[in-house]
Amino acid sequence: AAGVIQSPRHLIKEKRETATLKCYPIPRHDTVYWYQQGPGQDPQFLISFYEKMQSDKGSIPDRFSAQQFSDYHSELNMSSLELGDSALYFCASSLVGRTNTEAFFGQGTRLTVV
Amino acid sequence: AQTVTQSQPEMSVQEAETVTLSCTYDTSESDYYLFWYKQPPSRQMILVIRQEAYKQQNATENRFSVNFQKAAKSFSLKISDSQLGDAAMYFCAYKAQETSGSRLTFGEGTQLTVNP
């Protein structure tokens, strides 16, 4: 079965640079979530999109922006990168309205800011 | 805001034994979902088990079962016949009734070690 695809898997950027993370949800899923997981921490919710509209917003810095496109893939844009942005970034997708409404996670993008 | 608390940062169990991981949560909602996710060293987030709050029956998936106490807002995970492959970080998570992309809120995690 198709899973959530994230690219790239690994990314190294310098401080003050910009990074773009991509997420391709499971086909026919209408909701995408972004999470940030620092070392030894639990995943922190950043933002979600339902049917291409922002549906919920968490602790996402103003330097970050995200959108969901017409084909339902999503991109997380991160500008003016800081050392503290180094983390594992997860994308997850789900289908609203299903009885068992779990979110399926991608394998994550490991971002290292140097 | 909903909060999820896992009071056991680390747990260990002998292979083939049973272990219970604890989780409590706080919410004012009556309908919601609870999950246990497993994160092995690969850091992939893997769904272990889910529970709908409106269901009184505790969920079971093979060797994994939950003890859901809605009034006490408690949601523990029992792993029976523990296997070496069960070693991982386990996260308890809460999700409000699905409307349009409600977030998952995670607990701090419990690192489970399985001793041979």
Side-chain angles (χ1 to χ4, degrees):
Chain A
V4 178
I5 305 297
Q6 290 187 247
S7 68
R9 293 289 309 278
H10 302 273
L11 191 59
I12 300 175
K13 290 286 186 178
E14 295 188 354
K15 284 195 306 183
R16 293 180 288 278
E17 284 193 319
T18 297
T20 297
L21 279 55
K22 297 185 178 182
C23 170
Y24 297 86
I26 292 172
R28 291 182 293 281
H29 278 195
D30 51 21
T31 305
V32 166
Y33 313 79
W34 285 98
Y35 288 84
Q36 177 192 59
Q37 186 179 27
Q41 298 180 356
D42 55 288
Q44 295 295 311
F45 173 74
L46 294 178
I47 196 166
S48 63
F49 294 88
Y50 166 65
E51 285 291 346
K52 293 157 281 185
M53 298 289 289
Q54 181 181 308
S55 54
D56 196 2
K57 190 173 181 180
S59 51
I60 183 169
D62 292 339
R63 300 178 289 108
F64 294 6
S65 65
Q67 59 181 321
Q68 187 179 29
F69 294 86
S70 58
D71 63 352
Y72 290 92
H73 94 273
S74 178
E75 294 184 4
L76 177 66
N77 296 293
M78 310 160 68
S79 63
S80 302
L81 287 169
E82 303 173 356
L83 296 178
D85 296 328
S86 295
L88 187 60
Y89 290 84
F90 283 109
C91 172
S93 73
S94 69
L95 181 59
V96 171
R98 283 196 62 186
T99 301
N100 296 327
T101 178
E102 70 263 29
F104 294 87
F105 283 77
Q107 292 189 295
T109 293
R110 184 176 299 279
L111 173 66
T112 302
V113 181
V114 297
Chain B
Q2 292 82 12
T3 58
V4 179
T5 302
Q6 294 177 246
S7 58
Q8 307 154 315
E10 298 176 347
M11 290 284 284
S12 63
V13 63
Q14 291 296 126
E15 197 175 3
E17 297 290 305
T18 296
V19 65
T20 298
L21 308 184
S22 301
C23 172
T24 58
Y25 59 94
D26 186 28
T27 183
S28 58
E29 304 289 334
S30 58
D31 290 326
Y32 49 87
Y33 302 89
L34 296 165
F35 306 88
W36 280 97
Y37 280 88
K38 167 185 177 181
Q39 189 175 43
S42 67
R43 302 201 73 184
Q44 172 77 46
M45 292 291 283
I46 302 166
L47 177 67
V48 175
I49 199 166
R50 74 176 75 82
Q51 175 79 43
E52 292 88 347
Y54 65 87
K55 290 186 177 179
Q56 293 186 344
Q57 185 174 7
N58 289 323
T60 300
E61 288 286 343
N62 300 315
R63 298 182 294 107
F64 299 88
S65 62
V66 299
N67 183 4
F68 173 48
Q69 301 291 326
K70 191 173 183 179
K73 296 180 181 175
S74 169
F75 182 61
S76 60
L77 173 70
K78 185 171 82 171
I79 306 174
S80 304
D81 185 26
S82 297
Q83 300 176 0
L84 295 178
D86 294 334
M89 180 71 84
Y90 286 80
F91 290 102
C92 177
Y94 168 99
K95 193 173 198 287
Q97 185 181 24
E98 186 69 83
T99 53
S100 58
S102 53
R103 70 182 71 179
L104 270 172
T105 299
F106 289 90
E108 306 91 334
T110 297
Q111 182 67 51
L112 177 66
T113 301
V114 181
N115 300 308

